[in-house]
Amino acid sequence: MRNKSVLQEAQDIQKAVELIRLGARMQMLEAETALSRERLLKLYKEVKGVSPPKGMLPFSTDWFMSWQPNIHSSLFMALYRFVQAHAGQQGLDAIVQAYRLYNDHIESFEMEQVLSLTRAWTLIRFFDAKLLQSARCTCCGGEFVVHAFDPTSDYVCGLCHVPSRAGKTKKTAVAATDLLP
């Protein structure tokens, strides 16, 4: 019996280290492992070299509805469903694999990473709680994250109908001025 608990603890430590490297917050680590908060704090400091960030996890679905987060969240959901269907993975394993694919995709197109692992994990929890769902865009046919129970019969995604202020951040303004002669 003791060997089983030692093995479980070793697996939880390995899982926690992997999640920390991917950017998981403490609340996610506590929910996904059986390790004590003190042990997780020590692991976090050992892996990252700093204390974990403080603060609450996102608890509102609204973040996922704004233009850029919605695009990234919708991409992640497509990857998550792909991993579930074709790799046979479920739960946290599917989330981690889909998140790695998301990161690879973002890096290959040299895009800004918008979705953190903790946000991706929260997104799945919102879907499981039926607070969010997917809707098919009537223009492009893509699947996008929407609030549950919102009317979706005439849904048009943020890529087909880009908001006027989309992508106009201080960061893009600075990048644009760097390109000027």
Side-chain angles (χ1 to χ4, degrees):
M1 187 71 164
R2 173 138 167 76
N3 287 342
K4 189 174 184 178
S5 65
V6 170
L7 179 61
Q8 181 62 46
E9 183 176 7
Q11 290 171 339
D12 275 350
I13 290 170
Q14 185 177 7
K15 182 191 307 181
V17 167
E18 178 181 19
L19 294 174
I20 291 166
R21 285 187 177 136
L22 288 171
R25 299 268 305 263
M26 283 298 293
Q27 296 92 329
M28 181 180 174
L29 297 170
E30 289 175 308
E32 294 295 340
T33 68
L35 300 173
S36 70
R37 182 167 179 79
E38 293 75 28
R39 182 72 171 120
L40 289 169
L41 284 167
K42 287 179 185 177
L43 273 174
Y44 196 99
K45 288 178 186 176
E46 189 176 319
V47 171
K48 289 282 193 174
V50 295
S51 295
K54 301 204 181 330
M56 295 175 56
L57 287 181
F59 60 90
S60 171
T61 57
D62 292 341
W63 183 85
F64 298 101
M65 296 304 112
S66 58
W67 182 73
Q68 193 175 30
N70 186 264
I71 305 298
H72 285 254
S73 299
S74 299
L75 170 63
F76 174 80
M77 281 306 298
L79 294 168
Y80 176 74
R81 289 181 176 138
F82 178 85
V83 166
Q84 284 185 310
H86 299 286
Q89 294 183 342
Q90 299 297 319
L92 184 62
D93 292 335
I95 293 170
V96 168
Q97 186 62 33
Y99 189 71
R100 284 190 175 125
L101 290 171
Y102 164 78
N103 280 334
D104 289 347
H105 187 77
I106 296 303
E107 287 173 17
S108 70
F109 287 97
E110 298 179 8
M111 296 169 60
E112 176 187 357
Q113 181 192 44
V114 173
L115 195 66
S116 69
L117 177 62
T118 302
R119 288 254 188 213
W121 177 75
T122 303
L123 175 66
I124 299 303
R125 291 171 62 115
F126 285 156
F127 265 81
D128 290 346
K130 309 244 185 289
L131 296 171
L132 294 174
Q133 64 183 19
S134 291
R136 186 169 302 280
C137 176
T138 55
C139 290
C140 68
E143 290 279 326
F144 291 86
V145 174
V146 297
H147 283 116
F149 311 114
D150 275 359
T152 58
S153 60
D154 295 325
Y155 178 75
V156 178
C157 73
L159 291 174
C160 293
H161 183 69
V162 179
S164 60
R165 298 283 304 154
K168 295 182 178 164
T169 63
K170 287 181 184 177
K171 187 175 182 178
T172 57
V174 169
T177 57
D178 288 346
L179 298 175
L180 297 175

